[in-house]
Amino acid sequence: MGRTELRLGELSIEGFSRAGDETWFRVHPPGLAFDTGRGARELGGARDVFLTHGHLDHALGVPYVLSQRSQHENGDTRIVCPMQTVEPLAALIAAAERLEATTYRYDILGVQPGDRIEAAKNMTLEAFPVDHVVPGVGYHLIRHKRRLRAEYRDTPEVDLAAMRERGIDHSETTEEIALSYCGDTGPAVFDLEPRIFTSRVLLIECTFLDARQRAHGDRYKHLHLEDFEPRQDQFQNSAIVFHHLSRRHSEAALRTAVDQRLPALAGRVHLVVGST
Ligand SMILES: [Zn+2]
Ligand SMILES: [Zn+2]
């Protein structure tokens, strides 16, 4: 089973994802990790790890990543996770430190929906609410840009330069959601956080395909392909990355289902499902 690499606009996304097996992503820039799977070597360079929830297919790798980073003296690591996950995750890390008779250099930051964390000079992460069976959050990767204020758009450059010399600032900061990552979630996420429809790149799970598994999606709070069908017209994203496919489905079955049942999205859908 192999990892996948995607280049989507200015972002490079590397990852592996299968429901119940493991899910992790590495996103450049800024070089952060979203979830850790069961411990992926590819995450050793990530200073920041943004964890969506505590299920072990996403979180078990946290101590492994910290262990790898301390062996290679990669410096401090920031682990960001839902507020309710901090205490049990700290206990898991502490147990790993005892097993290895060492200490890792890390901080854990608990977040709630709406909290923001700076990840790079022009990039901020914002937590948003999701709908899962354990405490969870998704994350928006927000890019900040400077641009000329509207009232100066027709001003000749020579005049702008003269004003700059007098200390007048013509610019303003704007924000765009470069990427949204939902982690594991049921369909309530579409109402809880409609901004996911507007991000340039949307990483969203699609665990189940068949009518037989309709109840599974409801019970375990995962998305079913059916959840996308009535909402196809709402997705304004340039790219949509489906991941977290159940092991009972093949990548080819997901691709066929997307082509047949989501015609408005099919041309923008990429798959990270761990080839089988
Ligand atoms: Zn999962
Ligand atoms: Zn989960």
Side-chain angles (χ1 to χ4, degrees), residues 96-116:
E97 288 178 309
R98 287 176 57 204
L99 285 168
E100 299 204 287
T102 188
T103 53
Y104 311 138
R105 288 167 49 193
Y106 71 99
D107 284 318
I108 301 188
L109 284 168
V111 290
Q112 309 183 69
D115 287 349
R116 286 188 164 200

Side-chain angles (χ1 to χ4, degrees), residues 53 55 132 184:
H53 66 296
H55 278 153
H132 201 36
D184 286 2

Side-chain angles (χ1 to χ4, degrees), residues 22 67 79 97 104 165 175 179 204 208 212 214 235 274:
E22 59 176 339
S67 170
I79 310 286
E97 288 178 309
Y104 311 138
E165 276 184 20
E175 293 185 357
L179 180 148
I204 190 162
F208 300 116
R212 272 171 296 159
R214 179 62 273 178
F235 293 86

Side-chain angles (χ1 to χ4, degrees), residues 17-23 35 52-53 55-58 132 181 183-185 205 207 222 243-244:
S17 182
R18 270 279 166 175
D21 189 350
E22 59 176 339
T23 292
D35 292 331
T52 56
H53 66 296
H55 278 153
L56 294 187
D57 50 329
H58 299 251
H132 201 36
Y181 173 53
D184 286 2
T185 185
E205 69 135 287
T207 303
H222 286 301
H243 60 274
H244 207 267

